[in-house]
Amino acid sequence: MQQFAHRPALIVADRWRDYQLLDCGDGLKQERWGDITLVRPDPQIIWPRHGEKPGAPWTKWDGFYHRAETGGGRWEYRRPLPDHWTVHYEPLQLTFKIHPTSFKHTGLFPEQAANWDWFSAKIRHAVAPATTAATDSCEAAGPRSVNVLNLFGYTGAASVAAAKAGASVCHVDAAEGMVKWARENAALSGLAEAPIRYIVDDCLKFVRREQRRGRRYDAIIMDPPTYGRGATGEMWKLEDHLWELLTECRALLSEQPLFFLINAYTARLSPTVVANLLAELLHDRGGQITAGEVGLPIQRDGKTLPCGIYGRWES
């Protein structure tokens, strides 16, 4: 029987040392990435900015992303910054390359650490030698292998976290540059030789090919965009293609899957919608479904900045 969380749950990535969300206000967020402070726009931040003194603008920053009225934007730097640097997520012993891009991103979504912690624990538990009861005695059961499929994998943070926990991972993204970045992140985390397959492809087409090959996965992670294009120009639109992708992914699940995780950064979905999708998709698998927002703590005043939504099914 399937069980639902009674209400959307907020999960907060509050275990960082190398990253801090220092302050927010007036559509901007002030963040520390290692020893470099960046200011970037965020449309959800509609409350006022206070600055170091009430009413004053922020003065402590190294890079400031200015949004252009015609779209896109540009970085302003107060001092010469390296092209890229690294930050560490100590709880899982992970290291990531940070590089400010022309579209305001840095190559990492730090709020996702809350999900890395969750699925890393599930993978570690699954791959560790277990003790099972058999009649009146206990016998040792061998470790289980765990195969994880990460779709729309971006720069590979989730892939690296899953591999670090002991899983074999298939990382798929349509952008060759992002897949290369994922390889770099794996190497930085000491996983250059880890069992990670890196695939540049359209996610839906790849999933269908995996079905024909007879491959199965114990866990699936995905972060589908609102709009996008595949490796050879295929158009992706969330409302039109998400359910189709989910049903194709279901056919890839092993007999005893561990989890199915959906992340989203679009206002077009709510946590309840994601929970309903998972319930419809896995109605005969039992397990538990939770959904909600993922966020970051704001150092200045203790608020939480919501950064996206998630839905989790777990056996």
Side-chain angles (χ1 to χ4, degrees):
M1 181 178 178
Q2 213 166 59
Q3 295 183 350
F4 283 86
H6 294 296
R7 57 185 179 183
L10 172 66
I11 57 174
V12 180
D14 57 4
R15 301 176 71 200
W16 281 97
R17 291 188 180 179
D18 267 10
Y19 171 87
Q20 277 186 310
L21 179 55
L22 301 173
D23 200 0
C24 294
D26 291 338
L28 297 168
K29 54 187 177 183
Q30 181 189 38
E31 306 164 288
R32 180 179 64 79
W33 299 85
D35 61 356
I36 294 174
T37 300
L38 303 178
V39 174
R40 300 188 291 160
D42 188 314
Q44 292 199 101
I45 304 171
I46 60 175
W47 54 91
R49 176 174 37 155
H50 299 291
E52 285 85 8
K53 296 180 180 179
W58 295 322
T59 59
K60 297 178 182 178
W61 54 266
D62 302 301
F64 197 120
Y65 188 87
H66 298 277
R67 177 78 74 186
E69 293 183 2
T70 55
R74 64 176 180 84
W75 284 97
E76 175 190 359
Y77 297 111
R78 280 193 165 161
R79 63 182 175 95
L81 297 183
D83 175 73
H84 61 271
W85 62 97
T86 60
V87 297
H88 308 281
Y89 186 60
E90 293 184 2
L92 300 181
Q93 298 181 342
L94 304 175
T95 301
F96 302 108
K97 169 186 166 182
I98 302 302
H99 167 66
T101 67
S102 59
F103 44 95
K104 89 170 182 177
H105 294 302
T106 63
L108 187 69
F109 294 96
E111 64 275 5
Q112 285 300 322
N115 277 320
W116 309 335
D117 289 339
W118 170 75
F119 67 66
S120 293
K122 295 190 71 65
I123 293 169
R124 285 195 302 269
H125 180 75
V127 301
T131 300
T132 56
T135 59
D136 294 331
S137 64
C138 289
E139 59 183 18
R144 171 186 176 182
S145 61
V146 174
N147 296 311
V148 174
L149 175 61
N150 185 17
L151 299 172
F152 310 99
Y154 192 48
T155 61
S159 296
V160 172
K164 194 77 167 185
S168 297
V169 182
C170 182
H171 173 97
V172 187
D173 198 279
E176 186 175 1
M178 296 300 103
V179 175
K180 179 182 176 183
W181 197 332
R183 286 182 180 273
E184 293 179 74
N185 280 332
L188 287 168
S189 294
L191 298 167
E193 303 302 320
I196 305 174
R197 283 197 298 156
Y198 300 95
I199 307 294
V200 180
D201 204 349
D202 173 77
C203 288
L204 181 57
K205 288 186 175 182
F206 175 78
V207 166
R208 287 172 173 161
R209 279 198 297 275
E210 290 290 87
Q211 288 182 34
R212 294 194 293 270
R213 297 178 184 119
R215 292 189 187 272
R216 294 294 180 266
Y217 293 90
D218 304 298
I220 296 177
I221 301 167
M222 65 170 65
D223 185 355
T226 305
Y227 297 100
R229 289 193 179 274
T232 56
E234 302 88 348
M235 187 65 189
W236 163 274
K237 188 176 180 182
L238 187 74
E239 296 95 327
D240 295 342
H241 298 114
L242 180 56
W243 178 248
E244 180 183 13
L245 175 62
L246 290 175
T247 56
E248 298 289 357
C249 284
R250 177 191 161 89
L252 292 181
L253 288 174
S254 64
E255 290 298 316
Q256 294 181 308
L258 281 182
F259 64 86
F260 200 123
L261 171 63
I262 303 174
N263 293 301
Y265 286 88
T266 172
R268 296 176 185 270
L269 291 184
S270 75
T272 302
V273 168
V274 176
N276 289 345
L277 286 167
L278 288 170
E280 186 70 22
L281 185 72
L282 300 165
H283 61 89
D284 58 346
R285 290 280 189 153
Q288 178 176 323
I289 293 171
T290 54
E293 292 182 302
V294 59
L296 289 165
I298 304 171
Q299 184 192 38
R300 178 182 175 84
D301 54 19
K303 294 188 186 78
T304 298
L305 175 66
C307 301
I309 64 170
Y310 72 92
R312 299 170 173 173
W313 173 88
E314 56 188 304
S315 59

